[in-house]
C-alpha cells in the first residue's frame, strides 16, 4: 500500500491486489513491453544493530541504514524514480511498461506467481534486485525440512532463526532442570555464506560437552555434522560448476514434540541433478536417526549472453556508469527472474564498496544488521535503469 501510494502521488496508477500480495501498474503502450519487478518485504531482523534500529531508517554522511534499504526497497524506489525521470525529461516511451511491487519475495514468491497467473507477461523483464551490471542466470534453490526421529530427553527448547535464506545467528536453549543458554553466531545471506557462523552449529558442539543424556548428545552430534561448513560435504551433495560451488545453509531450528527440526537452504548450479541431491540427503540423514519431512525444489536458469537484450542492457550499464569493462555474471541468489520470461536481474545502484563503512564483519550487507545503501550509488542506479528502459523501448518498437 505504501509503495502504491508513492507511485500514485507521482502520477502513476498503481493498483493494489491485496488478495494476491502485490501492487502493479501498467502504462499504455505498444506490445507486451517491459516489466520492472521489485519487492517491499524484508527478511527478519537481527538484534545486534549498531547504527540504528532496523525499522528506524537513518541517513548519515550520504549513507542510508535500515532493514530493506538495499534489499529491496531501493529497487522499488529506483523503479519509481526512473519512470519519473523519463516523464520529467519528456522521453516518449512507446512500449507498455509494467511495474510490479511484491510482498513475499523472501518467503516463497507466491506474489509473483499470482502475477504470472493473472497479468500479461511483459516481453522483457528487469529485476533491480541483484548485482551490477546484470545477471544472466541463477542457481537452483532447494529448501529441505528435516526432523529427528527421537525426541530430546533433557533439552526442552532449541530455537532460532525465522527464514530459510539467512544463516542462523541466534539460538536459545532450555533444559528440563530450568537452566537456559543463548548462543550467538554471525549471519549472512544463504547465497553467500562464507565467513558466517551458524549459532546452532556452535550450540550443538558446546552442548555435547554438558551433563545431558547420551540420547541428546547423539542427536546434537548428527545435527552438527549435517550442517558443518557451507557446501554440504557431510550430506554427500558437494558440487562445483559454472555457478561455482553448491552452498548448503541452515536457517531455522526448533523443537516439534521434543524432536529437533531444522531447515536447509541449498543453492546449486546446472551441473547438479537435484533429484539425486535430495535422495543423497534422505539416505544420509536416515542413517543417523533423522528424516526429510518435506522439501521444495526450484531449478535455476541461464540466459544467452549473446542475446540482443543482453547486449543492450550491458551497453546501457557501461555507458551510464563509465565502467566499460563491466561483464554479465551468474548469481547465487534467487530473484523474481526465475519466475518470469526473458528476465534480467540488475543492480538498483552503482557499485558501492560497503567496506568503506568501517562496520564489523557481518554488518552492512543484504540480510545483515546495519543494512546500508549509498544515496549517490542509488541515484546512479536510477540513471542506469532509465537508460535501460529507453534502449529496450527503442529495440522493441523499431
Amino acid at each position: 500500500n505504501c509503495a502504491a501510494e508513492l507511485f500514485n502521488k507521482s502520477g502513476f496508477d498503481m493498483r493494489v491486489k491485496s488478495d494476491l500480495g502485490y501492487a502493479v501498474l501498467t502504462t499504455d503502450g505498444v506490445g507486451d513491453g517491459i516489466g520492472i519487478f521489485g519487492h517491499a518485504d524484508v527478511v527478519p531482523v537481527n538484534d545486534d544493530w549498531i547504527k540504528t534500529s532496523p525499522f528506524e531508517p537513518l541517513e548519515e554522511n550520504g549513507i542510508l541504514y535500515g532493514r530493506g534499504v538495499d534489499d529491496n526497497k531501493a529497487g522499488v524506489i529506483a523503479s519509481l524514480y526512473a519512470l519519473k525521470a523519463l516523464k520529467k525529461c519528456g522521453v516518449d516511451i512507446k512500449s507498455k511498461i509494467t511495474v510490479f511491487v511484491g510482498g513475499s519475495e523472501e518467503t516463497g514468491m507466491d506474489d509473483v506467481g499470482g502475477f504470472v497467473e493473472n497479468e500479461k507477461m511483459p516481453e522483457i523483464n528487469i529485476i533491480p534486485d541483484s548485482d551490477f551490471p546484470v545477471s544472466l542466470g541463477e542457481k537452483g534453490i532447494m529448501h529441505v525440512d528435516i526432523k529427528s526421529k527421537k525426541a530430546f530427553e533433557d533439552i526442552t527448547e532449541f530455537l532460532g532463526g525465522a527464514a530459510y535464506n539467512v544463516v542462523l545467528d541466534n539460538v536459545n536453549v532450555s533444559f528440563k532442570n530450568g537452566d537456559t543458554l543463548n548462543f550467538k553466531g554471525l549471519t549472512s545471506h544463504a547465497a553467500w555464506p562464507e565467513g558466517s557462523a551458524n549459532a546452532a552449529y556452535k550450540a550443538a558442539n558446546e552442548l555435547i560437552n554438558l551433563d545431558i543424556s547420551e540420547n541428546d548428545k547423539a542427536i546434537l552430534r548428527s545435527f552438527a555434522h549435517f550442517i558443518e561448513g557451507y557446501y554440504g560435504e557431510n550430506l554427500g551433495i558437494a558440487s562445483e560448476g559454472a555457478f561455482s560451488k553448491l552452498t548448503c545453509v541452515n536457517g531455522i531450528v526448533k523443537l516439534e514434540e521434543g524432536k529437533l527440526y531444522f531447515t536447509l537452504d541449498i543453492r546449486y548450479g546446472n551441473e547438479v541433478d537435484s533429484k539425486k541431491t535430495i535422495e543423497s540427503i534422505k539416505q544420509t540423514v536416515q542413517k543417523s536417526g533423522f528424516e526429510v519431512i518435506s522439501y521444495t525444489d526450484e531449478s535455476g536458469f541461464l540466459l544467452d549472453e549473446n542475446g540482443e537484450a543482453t547486449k543492450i542492457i550491458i551497453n546501457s550499464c557501461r555507458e551510464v556508469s563509465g565502467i566499460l569493462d563491466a561483464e554479465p555474471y551468474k548469481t547465487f541468489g534467487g530473484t523474481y527472474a526465475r519466475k518470469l520470461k526473458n528476465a534480467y536481474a540488475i543492480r538498483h545502484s552503482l557499485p558501492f564498496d560497503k567496506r568503506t563503512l568501517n562496520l564489523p564483519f557481518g554488518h552492512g550487507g543484504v540480510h545483515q544488521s546495519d543494512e546500508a545503501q549509498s544515496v549517490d550509488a542509488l541515484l546512479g542506479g536510477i540513471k542506469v535503469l532509465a537508460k535501460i528502459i529507453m534502449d529496450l523501448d527503442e529495440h522493441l518498437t523499431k
Side-chain angles (χ1 to χ4, degrees):
N1 288 328
C2 292
E5 186 177 339
L6 287 174
F7 278 86
N8 293 333
K9 283 182 178 179
S10 298
F12 301 103
D13 183 19
M14 178 169 277
R15 298 165 288 124
V16 176
K17 299 198 171 184
S18 300
D19 57 328
L20 296 172
Y22 64 84
V24 64
L25 79 83
T26 305
T27 68
D28 294 329
V30 177
D32 295 332
I34 303 164
I36 309 170
F37 289 75
H39 67 91
D41 63 311
V42 297
V43 298
V45 300
N46 316 104
D47 60 3
D48 60 342
W49 285 61
I50 298 170
K51 287 290 186 177
T52 184
S53 297
F55 298 109
E56 294 181 7
L58 169 70
E59 188 277 326
E60 181 180 272
N61 299 322
I63 306 297
L64 298 173
Y65 298 92
R67 176 57 88 223
V69 296
D70 186 337
D71 185 18
N72 179 242
K73 297 179 190 295
V76 175
I77 292 299
S79 303
L80 170 59
Y81 278 85
L83 294 185
K84 288 182 67 173
L86 292 169
K87 183 178 180 180
K88 187 172 183 179
C89 292
V91 178
D92 181 20
I93 300 297
K94 299 180 178 64
S95 299
K96 179 189 298 182
I97 302 294
T98 299
V99 179
F100 171 98
V101 179
S104 63
E105 195 268 359
E106 302 286 6
T107 55
M109 301 190 190
D110 289 342
D111 50 359
V112 79
F115 174 91
V116 171
E117 293 178 2
N118 293 278
E119 315 284 348
K120 185 72 173 179
M121 177 69 69
E123 186 169 346
I124 299 177
N125 294 290
I126 304 298
I127 299 87
D129 187 21
S130 193
D131 291 326
F132 184 87
V134 58
S135 167
L136 298 183
E138 297 182 1
K139 281 184 172 182
I141 300 178
M142 181 183 294
H143 287 162
V144 186
D145 302 270
I146 300 172
K147 188 191 291 188
S148 63
K149 294 180 180 180
K150 292 184 178 180
F152 281 122
E153 295 173 349
D154 294 324
I155 295 174
T156 58
E157 180 183 67
F158 195 95
L159 180 64
Y164 286 89
N165 60 351
V166 183
V167 177
L168 197 159
D169 73 329
N170 188 72
V171 170
N172 292 313
V173 181
S174 298
F175 300 90
K176 187 168 59 176
N177 64 7
D179 291 344
T180 61
L181 291 172
N182 176 259
F183 297 87
K184 299 285 188 181
L186 190 61
T187 193
S188 180
H189 192 300
W192 300 276
E194 289 81 1
S196 65
N198 189 317
Y201 177 74
K202 178 180 179 181
N205 279 295
E206 293 193 20
L207 291 174
I208 59 176
N209 295 315
L210 300 182
D211 184 19
I212 57 176
S213 72
E214 288 302 319
N215 170 79
D216 292 10
K217 289 182 179 182
I219 294 171
L220 292 168
R221 285 194 189 97
S222 295
F223 168 61
H225 182 69
F226 297 151
I227 67 170
E228 183 178 12
Y230 307 123
Y231 310 117
E233 293 97 335
N234 293 344
L235 292 166
I237 60 173
S239 180
E240 186 170 4
F243 283 81
S244 189
K245 292 183 178 181
L246 173 152
T247 58
C248 180
V249 164
N250 164 235
I252 302 171
V253 293
K254 61 182 178 180
L255 298 191
E256 292 186 348
E257 297 179 342
K259 298 177 180 179
L260 179 61
Y261 162 98
F262 68 97
T263 65
L264 298 175
D265 179 299
I266 298 167
R267 314 262 169 148
Y268 61 89
N270 54 353
E271 82 282 359
V272 171
D273 183 331
S274 62
K275 291 183 179 179
K276 290 183 179 178
T277 296
I278 190 62
E279 284 306 313
S280 178
I281 295 171
K282 287 180 178 179
Q283 292 175 18
T284 300
V285 301
Q286 176 81 19
K287 294 175 183 177
S288 298
F290 284 73
E291 60 183 340
V292 172
I293 57 174
S294 65
Y295 74 96
T296 61
D297 180 26
E298 190 173 83
S299 60
F301 68 94
L302 192 59
L303 297 169
D304 180 6
E305 64 179 305
N306 295 311
E308 193 61 30
T310 303
K311 295 177 182 178
I312 290 170
I313 294 169
I314 282 290
N315 288 336
S316 299
C317 290
R318 289 172 176 168
E319 181 178 339
V320 176
S321 70
I323 305 174
L324 302 183
D325 60 351
E327 294 291 342
Y329 61 90
K330 307 172 190 71
T331 186
F332 304 165
T335 73
Y336 287 139
R338 64 181 52 244
K339 298 285 189 178
L340 303 167
K341 295 179 180 179
N342 299 323
Y344 298 81
I346 67 169
R347 180 74 176 155
H348 47 61
S349 311
L350 294 183
F352 161 53
D353 187 354
K354 294 184 178 180
R355 291 175 297 181
T356 61
L357 301 177
N358 295 318
L359 290 169
F361 184 82
H363 288 246
V366 171
H367 293 192
Q368 294 181 338
S369 298
D370 301 299
E371 186 174 345
Q373 171 64 50
S374 163
V375 174
D376 286 343
L378 178 56
L379 292 174
I382 291 169
K383 293 179 183 178
V384 171
L385 180 55
K387 185 67 163 63
I388 289 172
I389 294 170
M390 290 173 56
D391 293 346
L392 286 177
D393 174 59
E394 182 179 353
H395 165 65
L396 292 173
T397 60
K398 65 182 178 182

